[in-house]
Amino acid sequence: MMITREELDEIKNRDFLDKRNHFSQHDDVKSEKILGDFYEESPLVTIVMPIYNHPAPYFERALKSAIEQKGFSDYQVLIVDNDAEAKNGNEEIVHKLSSSKVVYFRNEKNIGLFGNWSRACLLAQSKWITYLHSDDMLKENFLATMCPIILQHSEIDQLASSSVNFDSDEFDESVLTGLKGAENRKHLLVKKVSVSEYYDGMATSVKGALMKRDCLLDIGGFRDFGQGLGLSDYTAMLKYAYYYNTYHVGFLSYLNGWGKNDSLNLSLWYPEMVANYHMQMFFNKKGNYLIRYLNKCKYTSILYRQAQQYNSGRNFSGKVIPVDMEQMERDCEIKRTPNLLYYKLIRKCVNGAKNLWLQIGQEKFYI
């Protein structure tokens, strides 16, 4: 889990708000339409599915959850297959489910995970898009619940919802019970998400979110692997919230499959932790000295707490992820060993003040 000097230099000098165009990186790679046609009139929403090699049962249930949306029909499903050699059987599943809603493309060359995310955005033809990964599922009333909100509130540029995790290998219909309790839309809380809420972690996710396609195009899409440290979806969502109005609705809409994706690639966890700390320091350059000092104490406390969780195995992977504390201090440019009890107290005070501010000043409404 070593980080190279070049990677550290890149992350320390990165402008996290730069609207760098990541869409053009794979301009030389074509996407061939294999099946289906776009509607003559663009729908309101496209469910985009960038896929590659998840097991066939995962992809089939994900696609079915997109095709079988209830109570809302103004949408299409766009599949962009990164399996250039057509060896994973994805096309057979698309033919098997045979839906006029589906348009299916295949890339002539594998353009990587986030490259394919960006390609799916480029190919979509609707005002709004939402991502569905091929090991996940949408609740059947996802669009019927979310779309009336964006239609009634033009100030919304992104509307995120919440998800529940399930083991991809042990799925049964009982998993769906984790998404009960949000059927009455009159009791759903919609609140604006401040960009500062992303500094501590992903305040909203690509998963279960409706995004304006033009806004995602404007911020440059998703930074590809090999272009520096850190999670590309995290930084993209933070940048989106900085430039555009992001809202969250209290609705469990998305089943997030675990077990067969890069979230459990433990070799990425330490580099991501270091990258997140440098990102926090980037945003901490603003404000007066006291605010910068308090925030640095808070983020340093979070960093050490994560390292301790990794070393102890008390993390959601349940596995020990060795972190050399001295190496981490060098990578994060922590000059001396901090008083962690003092930093923990600062973190709790800062979080308490922030939560109070959110309760008082946050823009929110019920539907």
Side-chain angles (χ1 to χ4, degrees):
M1 292 195 299
M2 293 293 293
I3 299 173
T4 67
R5 173 52 54 190
E6 291 76 14
E7 289 172 328
L8 277 175
D9 289 342
E10 188 278 330
I11 196 69
K12 287 188 289 187
N13 294 310
R14 184 187 303 172
D15 180 355
F16 286 90
L17 296 176
D18 180 29
K19 293 182 178 181
R20 178 179 173 185
N21 181 4
H22 298 290
F23 294 101
S24 62
Q25 182 180 358
H26 300 291
D27 278 349
D28 59 322
V29 179
K30 295 179 181 179
S31 299
E32 179 187 2
K33 190 175 70 172
I34 305 296
L35 180 73
D37 291 296
F38 289 110
Y39 298 154
E40 289 186 10
E41 293 187 14
S42 297
L44 179 69
V45 179
T46 301
I47 300 173
V48 294
M49 299 185 66
I51 67 171
Y52 177 54
N53 67 341
H54 278 120
Y58 297 5
F59 174 44
E60 183 171 345
R61 69 191 180 210
L63 181 54
K64 284 184 67 177
S65 78
I67 293 171
E68 297 175 359
Q69 286 291 294
K70 308 296 184 184
F72 187 86
S73 59
D74 192 14
Y75 77 98
Q76 197 155 26
V77 181
L78 169 63
I79 300 169
V80 186
D81 196 342
N82 227 0
D83 177 20
E85 299 175 357
K87 63 181 183 300
N88 291 324
N90 297 325
E91 184 177 348
E92 286 78 359
I93 292 172
V94 177
H95 279 287
K96 174 184 176 182
L97 295 182
S98 184
S99 171
S100 60
K101 292 187 178 75
V102 174
V103 184
Y104 173 58
F105 283 81
R106 183 184 297 121
N107 299 329
E108 66 177 7
K109 178 182 176 182
N110 188 321
I111 57 176
L113 174 67
F114 291 111
N116 204 28
W117 287 25
S118 294
R119 176 59 55 89
C121 176
L122 273 180
L123 290 172
Q125 296 188 359
S126 56
K127 180 177 181 179
W128 293 85
I129 64 172
T130 186
Y131 282 87
L132 172 62
H133 302 317
S134 56
D135 57 340
D136 299 343
M137 295 176 64
L138 290 174
K139 191 176 180 181
E140 65 178 12
N141 64 339
F142 169 72
L143 292 178
T145 301
M146 302 281 280
C147 290
I149 303 174
I150 60 173
L151 289 171
Q152 294 166 19
H153 296 274
S154 59
E155 70 273 20
I156 296 176
D157 296 316
Q158 177 181 195
L159 182 63
S161 62
S162 299
S163 63
V164 62
N165 296 336
F166 72 97
D167 189 326
S168 301
D169 290 327
E170 298 180 5
F171 173 80
D172 60 60
E173 294 300 321
S174 67
V175 172
L176 296 173
T177 61
L179 294 182
K180 301 298 182 183
E183 303 300 330
N184 190 340
R185 293 180 58 249
K186 293 181 180 179
H187 299 295
L188 295 180
L189 173 63
V190 182
K191 58 182 181 179
K192 189 171 184 180
V193 185
S194 167
V195 66
S196 65
E197 295 179 61
Y198 291 83
Y199 301 164
D200 300 349
M202 286 188 71
T204 65
S205 172
V206 176
K207 301 177 179 183
L210 288 174
M211 294 176 283
K212 285 183 178 176
R213 176 176 175 269
D214 285 349
C215 295
L216 191 54
L217 290 171
D218 179 58
I219 67 170
F222 300 95
R223 180 176 51 82
D224 210 345
F225 282 131
Q227 294 180 309
L229 301 177
L231 285 168
S232 297
D233 52 344
Y234 182 7
T235 53
M237 290 300 93
L238 186 155
K239 189 160 50 173
Y240 197 118
Y242 181 86
Y243 289 107
Y244 295 104
N245 294 323
T246 293
Y247 287 75
H248 180 273
V249 59
F251 173 51
L252 279 173
S253 68
Y254 195 97
L255 289 102
N256 183 34
W258 293 98
K260 298 288 184 180
N261 56 38
D262 282 325
S263 298
L264 291 179
N265 183 349
L266 303 186
S267 66
L268 300 176
W269 284 30
Y270 175 73
E272 288 168 0
M273 182 175 71
V274 172
N276 291 346
Y277 183 79
H278 283 289
M279 181 185 70
Q280 290 161 344
M281 293 301 101
F282 170 87
F283 286 100
N284 197 37
K285 294 175 183 177
K286 303 177 181 180
N288 60 47
Y289 176 80
L290 178 60
I291 296 299
R292 294 200 307 271
Y293 172 75
L294 292 175
N295 279 334
K296 184 169 184 178
C297 291
K298 172 188 173 180
Y299 297 137
T300 303
S301 173
I302 292 172
L303 178 73
Y304 276 89
R305 181 180 61 178
Q306 284 184 305
Q308 290 167 351
Q309 290 173 342
Y310 290 2
N311 279 327
S312 66
R314 294 194 301 271
N315 54 76
F316 77 78
S317 76
K319 298 179 181 179
V320 172
I321 306 167
V323 176
D324 184 323
M325 291 296 199
E326 292 184 0
Q327 182 64 48
M328 182 189 75
E329 290 168 354
R330 289 193 295 271
D331 290 343
C332 294
E333 298 184 327
I334 299 173
K335 303 300 182 183
R336 57 186 174 83
T337 302
N339 183 330
L340 295 183
L341 184 61
Y342 171 69
Y343 275 21
K344 182 178 181 180
L345 178 62
I346 292 292
R347 171 167 54 86
K348 288 184 176 295
C349 291
V350 172
N351 282 342
K354 179 179 177 180
N355 291 335
L356 179 61
W357 174 82
L358 287 174
Q359 290 296 322
I360 295 173
Q362 189 172 54
E363 180 185 330
K364 52 191 173 184
F365 55 87
Y366 285 91
I367 59 169

